[in-house]
Amino acid sequence: MEITRNTEITEENISLWHKCTQCSEVSFRGELERNGFICPKCKGLFPLSLESRFNLLLDIQPTNEEEFLSEKDNPDHFVSDVLAIEENIAQHPVSLFILEPVSILEQRHLKLFSEAILTAVNKSIPLLSIFTADPVESELSFPDIVPLLLQLEKLSDTSLAYITVLTETGNGQLRSHLPVGEIVIAECTSELYNTSRSHPQPALHAPEEQLLPEKYRDTNLNMPDISVDIYVPRTELHMVVSRFLKFFSSAASK
């Protein structure tokens, strides 16, 4: 079955009106921008572009692409649909990796993820990864991910925090082609945040479990999702991530 996704405003899609794929209602572009790309009718989440996600995470006003690129100290890390860079969130340094939700996972993404892990290890700062919980199918297999797992073992040995934020969590079971962290934050709507979940999600952090074949998933409807430690409304994401980083910063200084 083909999965339809909300489409965020881009340079190629400059229309002033945008249709939500969840409720089919049309919203004005300016209203969506002011509302954090959340549908004002059904509260469904529009996937964010790399720039918008970065701005939301740092709690800064959106900028155009040229301004965004000029502010980066190392623009070579900014490659169309992925960002791997050292950044400060609420004055706390972090090695940041963001992958756009519609991207098909490729070797170049793994390379940048590897660089983000090395930055965290070498500079003794937390690692923060952000990617979709509803990924597009990829030709990469589990052996392709193994080098990342070995690097994450080094991160674990240093007791540095690895936090993952999962986006697009409203499409059924959560899954990932990339290894998630010890702490998993799932971005959600306010409605999901206030709704009790009848199917708890036991620990499924191990990448070999995350990467179970789709055929196996289809025949086991009761299989648990990736473990989620906390569901956070999009508008509160910056605050929650900042609190986690502050906690780990305080723990490291003791």
Side-chain angles (χ1 to χ4, degrees):
M1 181 179 69
E2 182 180 355
I3 298 177
T4 59
R5 298 170 180 262
N6 278 337
T7 303
E8 197 212 352
I9 300 144
T10 64
E11 292 297 323
E12 292 76 20
N13 179 18
I14 203 67
S15 170
L16 293 179
W17 299 93
H18 300 272
K19 185 177 181 180
C20 176
T21 58
Q22 297 187 38
C23 68
S24 298
E25 293 291 336
V26 177
S27 299
F28 181 59
R29 172 183 175 180
E31 184 179 15
L32 284 175
E33 289 178 333
R34 290 189 296 271
N35 204 36
F37 293 100
I38 300 173
C39 177
K41 279 76 175 181
C42 72
K43 307 305 179 184
L45 301 178
F46 282 68
L48 296 178
S49 68
L50 199 60
E51 298 92 338
S52 296
R53 173 63 63 184
F54 181 88
N55 291 330
L56 174 72
L57 185 64
L58 271 65
D59 194 30
I60 60 179
Q61 293 299 315
T63 60
N64 61 46
E65 185 174 356
E66 290 184 358
E67 290 173 340
F68 178 82
L69 288 173
S70 65
E71 292 172 357
K72 299 298 111 202
D73 294 330
N74 192 345
D76 291 338
H77 283 281
F78 189 84
V79 185
S80 66
D81 60 349
V82 61
L83 176 66
I85 195 170
E86 181 182 350
E87 193 52 77
N88 288 321
I89 300 178
Q91 299 182 341
H92 300 293
V94 62
S95 181
L96 179 63
F97 174 87
I98 307 177
L99 183 64
E100 284 194 337
V102 295
S103 299
I104 298 176
L105 189 65
E106 300 174 358
Q107 284 290 348
R108 62 188 178 90
H109 299 136
L110 301 186
K111 180 178 182 295
L112 288 174
F113 199 163
S114 174
E115 292 179 6
I117 298 172
L118 287 176
T119 297
V121 172
N122 294 335
K123 298 196 173 183
S124 297
I125 57 178
L127 173 66
L128 174 61
S129 63
I130 303 177
F131 42 78
T132 181
D134 181 33
V136 179
E137 293 305 320
S138 170
E139 294 183 358
L140 297 183
S141 62
F142 178 70
D144 295 314
I145 312 296
V146 170
L148 290 180
L149 303 180
L150 297 178
Q151 286 185 297
L152 287 172
E153 284 293 327
K154 295 180 180 179
L155 188 71
S156 177
D157 291 341
T158 62
S159 300
L160 294 171
Y162 173 25
I163 304 171
T164 296
V165 175
L166 293 175
T167 63
E168 289 73 53
T169 60
N171 297 309
Q173 286 187 323
L174 310 186
R175 60 194 183 93
S176 170
H177 299 319
L178 291 170
V180 300
E182 297 102 345
I183 297 177
V184 179
I185 301 171
E187 182 182 54
C188 68
T189 63
S190 298
E191 283 67 21
L192 177 59
Y193 180 73
N194 293 319
T195 302
S196 60
R197 286 169 283 279
S198 57
H199 301 288
Q201 299 182 11
L204 235 180
H205 287 226
E208 63 271 18
E209 295 178 322
Q210 298 171 31
L211 295 165
L212 288 172
E214 290 302 310
K215 180 179 180 181
Y216 180 83
R217 288 178 174 273
D218 293 341
T219 57
N220 292 269
L221 300 180
N222 294 324
M223 192 182 78
D225 293 346
I226 295 172
S227 174
V228 172
D229 296 293
I230 181 173
Y231 283 85
V232 177
R234 173 175 286 179
T235 54
E236 300 177 17
L237 188 61
H238 168 77
M239 177 188 67
V240 172
V241 170
S242 298
R243 287 180 176 177
F244 271 116
L245 293 177
K246 180 180 180 181
F247 171 80
F248 288 114
S249 176
S250 299
S253 62
K254 293 181 179 179

